[in-house]
Amino acid sequence: MTSYSCCLILLLFTWSTSAYGPNQRAQKKGDIILGGLFPIHFGVAAKDQDLKSRPESVECIRYNFRGFRWLQAMIFAIEEINSSPTLLPNMTLGYRIFDTCNTVSKALEATLSFVAQNKIDSLNLDEFCNCSEHIPSTIAVVGATGSGISTAVANLLGLFYIPQVSYASSSRLLSNKNQFKSFLRTIPNDEHQATAMADIIEYFRWNWVGTIAADDDYGRPGIEKFREEAEERDICIDFSELISQYSDEEEIQQVVEVIQNSTARVIVVFSSGPDLEPLIKEIVRRNITGKIWLASEAWASSSLIAMPEFFRVIGSTIGFALKAGQIPGFREFLQKVHPKKSPNNGFAKEFWEETFNCYLPDGSKNSPASTSVHKSHEEGLGAGNGTSAFRPPCTGDENITSVETPYMDYTHLRISYNVYLAVYSIAHALQDIYTCTPGKGLFTNGSCADIKKVEAWQVLKHLRHLNFTNNMGEQVDFDEFGDLVGNYSIINWHLSPEDGSVVFEEVGHYNVYAKKGERLFINENKILWGGFSKEVPFSNCSRDCLPGTRKGIIEGEPTCCFECVDCPDGEYSDETDASACDKCPEDYWSNENHTSCIPKQIEFLAWTEPFGIALTLFAVLGIFLTSFVLGVFTKFRNTPIVKATNRELSYLLLFSLLCCFSSSLFFIGEPQNWTCRLRQPAFGISFVLCISCILVKTNRVLLVFEAKIPTSLHRKWWGLNLQFLLVFLCTFVQIVICVIWLYTAPPSSYRNHELEDEIIFITCHEGSLMALGFLIGYTCLLAAICFFFAFKSRKLPENFNEAKFITFSMLIFFIVWISFIPAYASTYGKFVSAVEVIAILAASFGLLACIFFNKVYIILFKPSRNTIEEVRCSTAAHAFKVAARATLRRSNVSRKRSNSLGGSTGSTPSSSISSKSNHEDPFPLPACAERQRQQQRGCKQKVSFGSGTVTLSLSFEEPQKNAMANRNAKRRNSLEAQNSDDSLMRHRALLPLQ
């Protein structure tokens, strides 16, 4: 069985190395061998394997200058370590480096070579097999480049726990230690890069992008992570396409059509240069310009893409680049390369031929890359093919510095430095094994590995616990996922004014160690869009919504496609592209443009506004007129007119009117708690006091004139003290209502936000509408009673109660307050107070004018009527009218009774009062009445009563058939009634002067 295994493995090893002749590897012996995988070529030639003969190894094409420089970086690091007296002293590192041709198949061929040799050593077949020129096992592999290739290699190396340290594979899938047990890398994984891309898009306020990814383990996971980050930032993706360098023309055409028809200007690309190249060429052919390309680090500096002839299409590229490192002496090392001076480097011959476009005639074969010449840059990436028939022979004396190739572009060593760091990481892991102290090792019981018989899995163990300082003074240690956390530089493509080449200008950086929100820094002044513009391009599905508007959803469209909707009243937005409008605080309202909140307009019935000034002037006018009337009544207090109107009650009535006019002023001005609690009680009590005075005065006179025979009871009721007591009692009821109101539900100042959105109405909250209803209702009740008495006394002497005017004033009062109720209920804000002020002033002016203006007019302008005779004349005229009506009623009753008894029809006198010249009145009449009687004597059968305006004429028709007895009886009855009425009339005539 052992012999069978030996033969099988030897056969496998022989096959795996047969495809790699001397010109297809770089190899050097040493105590410890490191493997290397580099893309010396971009791809392989398409060849139809019809299997009619034994399949041959696929030919690699398109030389990659950049890949050769990476290979040189590994050789330089190994030689530097071998010459170091401190690092692995007395130990020599060797290497075996193969070309992956940027394909999985070639990479696996090389990996099988590493695995086969390790398996031979593990089987210890030296005693069975005659193995001359023994090659030590490969204890670690540096590579590969692409994430897809590294994934395949890692799956194979992981089976044997051979550590793999990649310098360029950044796929986040490779951080899965359950699947890739032995994989480590000196490049950050794409998770941070995808986040950085989303941050850049957010920084420039773009939200409408397209995505393109390589259809491999690098592109798919990277773009998936970007989608996750974009979704968190509300960035919408218009299209998402997959590409490959092996895509056919139809697939490329389809992707280009999508790009051309898309409205998204920003295109995020997770791809390598070779995968992206066919797409870019077609875009250039169609001349699709105006796009902004956001490049991942795999192609951001690729010379396959960054070519001057492509610049008009992809000149607005912003990309990520790894942090550049410094490798002292590397420049000189690159310049020393020569096929004759590099016997261990089988790739040097082809490099020389491709660099100088010649061929070395001493080669056993034509250059593997002998088809056509193609040069480009991918941070030193280039390709060249041509046929030897068109190439001159190389002299061997060519100067490497005289030719510009990506190989000599050492200004920004990024991937090259990662290769350098990967070799040093393995060397330091070996150094830890070399210097391990037994009992402090990483293995069982603190044991250490033997450096002379070290195995790959032991190196892997030490790599996982590695911690050293590199040549730049930075700490290097792999995390639990085998990753090194690093930062990114942000570059922008510029066109060099000197030679027209594409240069990569560093315009910012991304620090993954910083706090979220502070990781990205961009210097916008350095960015040139399209190679010349400083204006940031627009890549949004919809135009920005200006402040004062918000984004509105369009049904069936992505969230980034929206319409701008004006903020409603009371809401605002002070930023561009606001998702929602913010509500203004309670005391604020949005301005006209809805971009900010301004204090709401404060409204109340102010002293300074025209309406408030007008009401104030009317109130002051009322106070002035009332004061004037009070002054007139005070000055002429002893005149008959003033005495006849109950002087003391008139003073109190005028005082109450002053209070009524003054109470209206409490309704003007900004409502405060104290004014709100004072104004309604002041108004209610003032009006009740006023109405009470009118009621008591009217009722007193009415009782006097309707009483047939004055008694002591009447005189008691007519007393002044009792009149004031009645006024006080009526007013006290209103005071009790107000006190209960203020105690249970006191009014207060209230800021009303509900009536109008943009206005705050400062009003009084009455506390209890029921209490206000009681207050006004009680006032109206007294007014109704007063109206009733005034209506009854409408025919009394006008000198006393002015019944007609009081009746009219009460009508005005009712009209005002009945109109007030619907007006009060239908108005709002400051107009509520205005309505009540108008009602108070209207009612007050009505009372003042109707009750007092005629008196003042007589006092000031008709003093002849302000005499005792005039007052008594008026009273006597009224008394005669009342007596005549009473006598007429009694005579009619007596006549009807006599007619019924006597059966005869007599004359029907209109009145039984006869006026005889020689008749002596039982009571002397006033002069005016006497004059009337003298005038009436000349008029036959006619008697007139009254003074000027009121006249009563009595005519008598003496029927001839009346019996004398009946006439004498009537006269006796009439005289008796007259004597009784004259007694009462004499008392009433003297009443005004008491």
Side-chain angles (χ1 to χ4, degrees):
M1 179 65 185
T2 305
S3 300
Y4 175 77
S5 300
C6 174
C7 294
L8 179 63
I9 294 174
L10 285 175
L11 178 64
L12 179 63
F13 178 73
T14 302
W15 178 82
S16 66
T17 58
S18 63
Y20 290 88
N23 294 332
Q24 294 176 312
R25 72 174 64 179
Q27 180 173 304
K28 183 179 180 180
K29 293 182 180 180
D31 300 323
I32 299 173
I33 301 298
L34 304 183
L37 297 172
F38 294 94
I40 307 302
H41 295 85
F42 282 118
V44 295
K47 187 175 182 180
D48 184 18
Q49 300 286 356
D50 56 5
L51 301 180
K52 292 181 179 180
S53 60
R54 181 173 178 167
E56 296 179 359
S57 179
V58 181
E59 182 183 10
C60 297
I61 60 173
R62 302 176 65 196
Y63 194 79
N64 183 1
F65 287 96
R66 186 183 181 190
F68 184 70
R69 175 157 53 85
W70 299 341
L71 178 148
Q72 287 288 79
M74 179 177 177
I75 295 175
F76 175 78
I78 291 175
E79 291 184 0
E80 193 175 59
I81 293 169
N82 287 339
S83 61
S84 173
T86 58
L87 191 59
L88 295 177
N90 303 321
M91 297 290 295
T92 302
L93 295 180
Y95 52 83
R96 295 174 67 213
I97 303 173
F98 296 96
D99 180 13
T100 65
C101 298
N102 203 35
T103 61
V104 173
S105 60
K106 286 293 184 179
L108 289 178
E109 287 181 20
T111 306
L112 284 174
S113 175
F114 303 141
V115 172
Q117 183 61 47
N118 284 29
K119 199 61 181 176
I120 292 173
D121 287 350
S122 67
L123 292 175
N124 194 17
L125 299 177
D126 290 344
E127 56 181 303
F128 302 101
C129 303
N130 185 13
C131 300
S132 59
E133 297 184 2
H134 173 70
I135 301 176
S137 301
T138 302
I139 55 92
V141 176
V142 176
T145 308
S147 296
I149 298 173
S150 287
T151 300
V153 172
N155 280 320
L156 184 54
L157 294 179
L159 294 175
F160 304 96
Y161 289 92
I162 300 174
Q164 174 189 358
V165 184
S166 176
Y167 49 84
S169 300
S170 57
S171 173
R172 62 187 184 129
L173 297 181
L174 290 167
S175 296
N176 185 351
K177 293 299 105 179
N178 292 326
Q179 184 176 358
F180 308 104
K181 302 177 179 64
S182 62
F183 181 84
L184 302 98
R185 53 186 162 190
T186 56
I187 184 174
N189 72 43
D190 290 330
E191 188 161 348
H192 297 295
Q193 186 176 190
T195 303
M197 284 181 166
D199 286 344
I200 286 180
I201 292 174
E202 186 178 35
Y203 176 86
F204 287 111
R205 302 182 64 85
W206 297 324
N207 64 13
W208 190 237
V209 301
T211 62
I212 297 174
D215 191 10
D216 56 22
D217 289 338
Y218 170 72
R220 288 191 302 269
I223 212 67
E224 181 183 351
K225 175 63 178 176
F226 171 78
R227 286 198 201 97
E228 295 174 2
E229 296 291 335
E231 187 176 353
E232 291 180 3
R233 293 165 173 78
D234 293 329
I235 299 170
C236 298
I237 297 175
D238 184 27
F239 63 88
S240 186
E241 299 292 334
L242 295 176
I243 59 173
S244 172
Q245 62 177 318
Y246 304 111
S247 299
D248 56 35
E249 186 177 351
E250 184 179 350
E251 292 174 339
I252 294 297
Q253 294 281 355
Q254 183 178 355
V255 174
V256 173
E257 288 287 343
V258 171
I259 294 173
Q260 190 171 16
N261 296 328
S262 173
T263 57
R265 295 189 63 188
V266 175
I267 302 175
V268 179
V269 182
F270 254 97
S271 174
S272 64
D275 287 325
L276 184 61
E277 184 186 17
L279 179 68
I280 295 299
K281 285 182 177 180
E282 180 61 24
I283 291 175
V284 171
R285 189 185 69 81
R286 296 196 183 192
N287 195 28
I288 302 174
T289 60
K291 302 294 183 182
I292 300 102
W293 299 84
L294 193 55
S296 64
E297 51 80 26
W299 73 275
S301 55
S302 170
S303 56
L304 282 177
I305 311 299
M307 300 179 67
E309 55 266 32
F310 295 167
F311 190 80
R312 73 177 187 276
V313 169
I314 55 175
S316 296
T317 298
I318 291 181
F320 291 88
L322 301 175
K323 183 179 179 182
Q326 301 295 327
I327 307 177
F330 186 51
R331 176 181 180 182
E332 292 75 15
F333 179 80
L334 293 176
Q335 294 174 352
K336 290 179 182 179
V337 66
H338 195 279
K340 295 180 180 179
K341 296 178 182 179
S342 306
N344 299 319
N345 191 344
F347 300 103
K349 177 180 178 293
E350 185 180 359
F351 164 75
W352 198 266
E353 292 177 338
E354 293 296 335
T355 301
F356 298 105
N357 197 22
C358 62
Y359 72 95
L360 292 171
D362 57 344
S364 57
K365 299 180 182 178
N366 286 337
S367 172
S370 53
T371 48
S372 63
V373 177
H374 179 78
K375 293 184 180 180
S376 61
H377 300 267
E378 181 186 73
E379 187 206 314
L381 235 105
N385 352 58
T387 50
S388 58
F390 298 100
R391 288 181 176 181
C394 301
T395 64
D397 296 329
E398 290 85 1
N399 184 4
I400 193 68
T401 59
S402 65
V403 181
E404 290 187 7
T405 62
Y407 171 77
M408 292 301 296
D409 184 11
Y410 46 79
T411 54
H412 298 289
L413 300 176
R414 295 185 173 96
I415 298 298
S416 299
Y417 183 77
N418 285 352
V419 174
Y420 181 81
L421 189 60
V423 174
Y424 264 88
S425 298
I426 298 171
H428 277 279
L430 293 171
Q431 177 72 11
D432 291 342
I433 295 174
Y434 182 79
T435 59
C436 178
T437 302
K440 296 183 179 179
L442 300 178
F443 304 102
T444 305
N445 299 323
S447 61
C448 298
D450 186 358
I451 190 63
K452 295 181 179 180
K453 297 181 181 180
V454 65
E455 297 184 33
W457 65 271
Q458 294 171 327
V459 178
L460 177 60
K461 179 69 173 177
H462 277 270
L463 279 171
R464 290 179 177 177
H465 294 82
L466 183 66
N467 192 335
F468 73 98
T469 304
N470 63 14
N471 66 324
M472 297 179 63
E474 298 173 345
Q475 285 297 118
V476 178
D477 60 330
F478 297 100
D479 61 18
E480 58 181 326
F481 304 108
D483 300 335
L484 285 183
V485 180
N487 298 327
Y488 292 97
S489 296
I490 300 174
I491 60 174
N492 179 224
W493 290 12
H494 291 186
L495 204 60
S496 173
E498 299 174 358
D499 56 4
S501 62
V502 177
V503 295
F504 310 117
E505 180 72 21
E506 186 171 334
V507 296
H509 61 264
Y510 188 82
N511 185 2
V512 298
Y513 297 101
K515 295 187 298 183
K516 190 174 182 180
E518 299 178 0
R519 297 173 182 173
L520 180 66
F521 169 77
I522 293 180
N523 187 351
E524 291 190 52
N525 295 325
K526 291 185 176 182
I527 298 178
L528 292 179
W529 304 100
F532 60 89
S533 176
K534 289 284 187 179
E535 184 180 357
V536 179
F538 179 82
S539 184
N540 295 61
C541 184
S542 301
R543 285 288 174 181
D544 294 342
C545 288
L546 300 176
T549 62
R550 64 170 179 85
K551 295 188 290 187
I553 297 175
I554 301 177
E555 188 175 355
E557 295 290 337
T559 56
C560 299
C561 301
F562 50 81
E563 58 182 351
C564 296
V565 180
D566 291 335
C567 291
D569 291 339
E571 297 183 9
Y572 75 101
S573 67
D574 56 359
E575 59 184 13
T576 304
D577 276 349
S579 298
C581 299
D582 299 320
K583 283 193 174 183
C584 291
E586 187 178 20
D587 291 344
Y588 289 80
W589 193 249
S590 55
N591 61 1
E592 185 177 356
N593 297 325
H594 299 278
T595 55
S596 63
C597 291
I598 56 176
K600 286 184 178 180
Q601 181 181 348
I602 304 295
E603 275 207 7
F604 53 85
L605 189 59
W607 299 97
T608 55
E609 65 176 289
F611 199 23
I613 293 173
L615 294 177
T616 302
L617 290 177
F618 276 109
V620 172
L621 177 63
I623 294 172
F624 172 77
L625 292 177
T626 306
S627 301
F628 176 76
V629 172
L630 181 60
V632 169
F633 267 55
T634 302
K635 182 177 181 181
F636 297 95
R637 59 185 176 277
N638 294 320
T639 59
I641 288 291
V642 175
K643 287 184 177 182
T645 56
N646 199 334
R647 177 171 54 191
E648 289 75 11
L649 281 180
S650 296
Y651 293 157
L652 186 58
L653 177 58
L654 288 170
F655 171 75
S656 66
L657 286 175
L658 281 174
C659 294
C660 290
F661 284 114
S662 300
S663 68
S664 65
L665 298 177
F666 289 116
F667 292 83
I668 305 174
E670 182 177 354
Q672 305 290 338
N673 286 336
W674 68 273
T675 56
C676 290
R677 293 169 185 170
L678 183 62
R679 65 181 193 173
Q680 296 292 7
F683 141 70
I685 294 173
S686 300
F687 265 95
V688 165
L689 179 61
C690 178
I691 301 300
S692 299
C693 291
I694 299 173
L695 176 62
V696 169
K697 188 171 73 167
T698 304
N699 188 43
R700 170 181 176 270
V701 176
L702 184 64
L703 289 175
V704 168
F705 277 95
E706 287 191 350
K708 295 182 179 181
I709 300 176
T711 63
S712 61
L713 180 62
H714 289 109
R715 294 187 181 93
K716 181 179 180 181
W717 277 99
W718 296 334
L720 188 61
N721 293 334
L722 187 58
Q723 295 175 38
F724 283 116
L725 178 61
L726 292 176
V727 171
F728 171 75
L729 291 177
C730 292
T731 308
F732 181 73
V733 174
Q734 187 76 306
I735 293 174
V736 171
I737 293 174
C738 294
V739 170
I740 295 174
W741 181 8
L742 294 177
Y743 181 77
T744 56
S748 60
S749 177
Y750 172 62
R751 299 171 72 89
N752 195 329
H753 300 266
E754 299 174 358
L755 297 177
E756 290 190 20
D757 294 328
E758 69 275 12
I759 300 175
I760 299 177
F761 291 99
I762 302 181
T763 59
C764 286
H765 186 273
E766 302 300 349
S768 173
L769 291 178
M770 182 181 293
L772 179 62
F774 275 118
L775 183 141
I776 297 177
Y778 178 69
T779 306
C780 292
L781 175 64
L782 291 182
I785 297 173
C786 184
F787 175 78
F788 172 75
F789 285 122
F791 183 78
K792 286 192 65 176
S793 60
R794 66 188 182 279
K795 295 182 179 180
L796 293 182
E798 59 187 26
N799 302 74
F800 286 91
N801 210 27
E802 305 84 31
K804 296 178 183 178
F805 298 105
I806 291 178
T807 303
F808 187 66
S809 68
M810 290 299 103
L811 285 175
I812 293 175
F813 184 88
F814 277 118
I815 291 172
V816 167
W817 289 108
I818 290 174
S819 303
F820 165 77
I821 294 174
Y824 185 87
S826 60
T827 54
Y828 60 90
K830 65 181 181 181
F831 300 106
V832 173
S833 299
V835 165
E836 193 160 357
V837 170
I838 292 173
I840 292 172
L841 294 178
S844 301
F845 274 113
L847 292 173
L848 178 66
C850 293
I851 296 176
F852 290 102
F853 279 6
N854 62 330
K855 298 291 186 184
V856 173
Y857 175 77
I858 292 174
I859 292 173
L860 296 180
F861 301 105
K862 297 290 184 180
S864 59
R865 296 179 57 183
N866 190 13
T867 60
I868 296 176
E869 290 77 8
E870 282 292 325
V871 174
R872 286 184 175 177
C873 177
S874 176
T875 305
H878 175 75
F880 275 112
K881 291 177 186 179
V882 173
R885 293 190 190 99
T887 304
L888 182 60
R889 285 194 298 270
R890 287 193 294 271
S891 63
N892 288 336
V893 171
S894 300
R895 181 177 57 81
K896 290 178 181 180
R897 186 180 300 120
S898 300
N899 291 339
S900 61
L901 293 176
S904 61
T905 303
S907 64
T908 306
S910 300
S911 177
S912 60
I913 298 176
S914 58
S915 299
K916 297 181 180 180
S917 59
N918 58 353
H919 179 72
E920 184 179 353
D921 291 336
F923 301 102
L925 294 176
C928 63
E930 185 64 30
R931 287 195 300 271
Q932 288 178 355
R933 290 186 61 181
Q934 294 297 332
Q935 293 171 1
Q936 290 166 3
R937 287 174 183 172
C939 300
K940 186 178 180 180
Q941 297 178 335
K942 186 175 183 180
V943 179
S944 298
F945 297 96
S947 58
T949 59
V950 180
T951 304
L952 175 64
S953 298
L954 300 176
S955 60
F956 299 89
E957 296 177 359
E958 297 286 345
Q960 296 178 358
K961 296 181 181 181
N962 266 357
M964 184 62 67
N966 291 336
R967 188 166 50 247
N968 292 335
K970 291 177 182 179
R971 287 178 179 175
R972 285 195 301 271
N973 293 335
S974 176
L975 287 175
E976 291 175 358
Q978 183 178 357
N979 291 336
S980 175
D981 292 340
D982 285 346
S983 176
L984 179 60
M985 185 171 58
R986 179 184 179 90
H987 171 77
R988 291 171 177 168
L990 297 176
L991 181 63
L993 304 178
Q994 293 178 356

